Amino acid sequence: MSATPNQSEPGGCSQYSVEDSVTTSFMILLALAIIVGNVLSLVVFLGSKGFRTSQGYLKASLALADLSVGVLVVPYSVYNQVTLAVSGVPGGTSQPGGPMPIFQPCLLTGPLFAGCTFVSITTIFLLSIERSIAVLKPLHKKLFITKRRTCSLIALSWALSFFLAVVPMVSRDGIALEYSPCSKMCTYTFSNQPQTSGWKIMLLFPAFDFFLLGGTVVINVLTFLAIRRYCKARKRLAESERRSQPTAAAQPHVSFPDIAAAKTIGIVTVAFFASFSPIAVLVVGHVLGYQWCRFSYYAFWILTSNSCWNVIIYSVRDQRFRLRAQELLIPSNPMITTI
């Protein structure tokens, strides 16, 4: 598939088009939104005593993965976008006939983006399990969900995610890691025609992702079915109160905060599933030999934009998070609070 001259002609004299300006501006604004939103999330979840729970630690892990994308991955794409438009050669690559750079940033940003995506998926999966236990087994919640166990699972998810992210780079079986002018990101590509083991390795990504996402969807469905039964039980109890006083033992044990948190995680799951699906289609299509240049740009950046969605979801759904964030962003006047 052919590309525009300002994207593909090495050493060519390129003009910075209006489309390039809009794309670069979008990347810069997205990076700022990701950084500000996830720094705020980390400060709330780790800096506030009331949020230092198992759920808070999992959300902090999710925010850290998103923050890494905003700090390293997106800025490097901005740098490449500018240098490619000006000089015709992406940053971190050599000029025609020149020596190869000692360090290629794609070796960092490519696996980092893949690893952080895996971390997000595994963390959402763990959040769904945590909320499911809180709703389905409320009396055993403190027994199964502990801070130490949660921190261990977080460490395991990061180790497993980045191990999977570097597998294609380590295999070196016809797979290369390079900057793509189409997606404007560092991605794994086939250096030649897809080899037998090469395409199997690349299909490991969507297979792992959809296995966890499928499990997450099933867990959320079971959780919401339990919430529905609970709401019906509360409705029956409310109706019975008009006739006679119900016993304390008949009261359901699921708390409203647990229900609200489960619904929030369900929304986070749907948002991530929607943003990840185009990437999965792109990977499968690429393995089959299709080159979808324009689609690859939308697929990668829709997924990247998900890194700033969670803080918006928390702010809309979680009143405690919203109030704490407002306190951090708009500190109260000490002269007013002092008695």
Side-chain angles (χ1 to χ4, degrees):
M1 176 177 288
S2 61
T4 56
N6 67 328
Q7 289 179 325
S8 62
E9 292 183 3
C13 183
S14 305
Q15 286 188 341
Y16 205 58
S17 65
V18 174
E19 183 180 358
D20 292 327
S21 300
V22 172
T23 300
T24 305
S25 300
F26 164 73
M27 291 178 179
I28 294 173
L29 291 175
L30 180 61
L32 291 175
I34 292 173
I35 292 171
V36 172
N38 288 289
V39 166
L40 179 63
S41 295
L42 286 172
V43 172
V44 171
F45 292 129
L46 298 181
S48 306
K49 186 176 180 180
F51 288 90
R52 292 189 204 130
T53 61
S54 295
Q55 181 185 164
Y57 289 150
L58 288 168
K59 289 181 177 178
S61 174
L62 190 60
L64 182 59
D66 290 336
L67 180 62
S68 300
V69 173
V71 170
L72 295 174
V73 177
V74 179
Y76 183 62
S77 292
V78 173
Y79 168 68
N80 273 314
Q81 175 71 4
V82 174
T83 55
L84 184 61
V86 173
S87 64
V89 178
T93 59
S94 61
Q95 294 287 342
M100 287 296 294
I102 297 176
F103 173 70
Q104 298 182 36
C106 275
L107 296 177
L108 171 65
T109 60
L112 179 66
F113 184 69
C116 289
T117 302
F118 291 148
V119 169
S120 296
I121 294 172
T122 54
T123 304
I124 292 173
F125 177 73
L126 293 174
L127 276 167
S128 299
I129 292 178
E130 188 265 346
R131 286 298 87 195
S132 179
I133 294 174
V135 171
L136 297 176
K137 300 289 184 180
L139 298 180
H140 301 86
K141 179 175 64 174
K142 293 183 179 180
L143 176 64
F144 289 108
I145 305 173
T146 63
K147 292 181 181 179
R148 177 176 294 183
R149 187 172 295 171
T150 300
C151 291
S152 299
L153 289 173
I154 290 173
L156 179 62
S157 73
W158 277 79
L160 176 62
S161 296
F162 278 90
F163 170 76
L164 290 175
V166 300
V167 164
M169 187 170 60
V170 173
S171 69
R172 297 290 186 183
D173 190 3
I175 300 176
L177 185 60
E178 58 187 27
Y179 178 78
S180 169
C182 290
S183 65
K184 306 187 188 307
M185 279 198 174
C186 296
T187 59
Y188 288 112
T189 59
F190 292 109
S191 55
N192 301 307
Q193 292 297 321
Q195 303 295 321
T196 303
S197 59
W199 67 260
K200 288 182 179 179
I201 292 173
M202 292 305 297
L203 286 178
L204 177 67
F205 283 13
F208 174 80
D209 296 337
F210 275 111
F211 174 77
L212 282 186
L213 284 174
T216 302
V217 170
V218 171
I219 292 171
N220 276 281
V221 168
L222 294 176
T223 302
F224 282 110
L225 289 175
I227 291 174
R228 185 179 180 183
R229 290 195 299 269
Y230 167 77
C231 292
K232 288 183 178 180
R234 283 194 62 87
K235 186 177 179 180
R236 288 195 297 268
L237 286 172
E239 292 175 352
S240 66
E241 283 180 349
R242 299 189 185 97
R243 309 185 193 94
S244 61
Q245 187 68 24
T247 61
Q251 295 286 349
H253 297 287
V254 184
S255 65
F256 281 112
D258 286 334
I259 293 176
K263 291 180 178 179
T264 300
I265 299 307
I267 295 173
V268 170
T269 302
V270 171
F272 188 87
F273 189 90
S275 64
F276 177 78
S277 295
I279 282 286
V281 173
L282 179 68
V283 171
V284 174
H286 187 66
V287 167
L288 296 176
Y290 295 100
Q291 299 295 329
W292 298 321
C293 185
R294 178 64 67 177
F295 178 69
S296 68
Y297 169 75
Y298 291 121
F300 271 96
W301 288 94
I302 288 173
L303 178 59
T304 305
S305 67
N306 179 264
S307 295
C308 66
W309 293 2
N310 291 333
V311 66
I312 299 174
I313 295 172
Y314 301 151
S315 299
V316 173
R317 293 283 311 170
D318 191 339
Q319 184 180 19
R320 290 176 62 242
F321 179 91
R322 182 169 61 251
L323 293 176
R324 181 56 183 151
Q326 290 175 351
E327 291 176 1
L328 294 171
L329 295 174
I330 311 174
S332 59
N333 192 336
M335 296 298 295
I336 297 178
T337 57
T338 303
I339 300 178

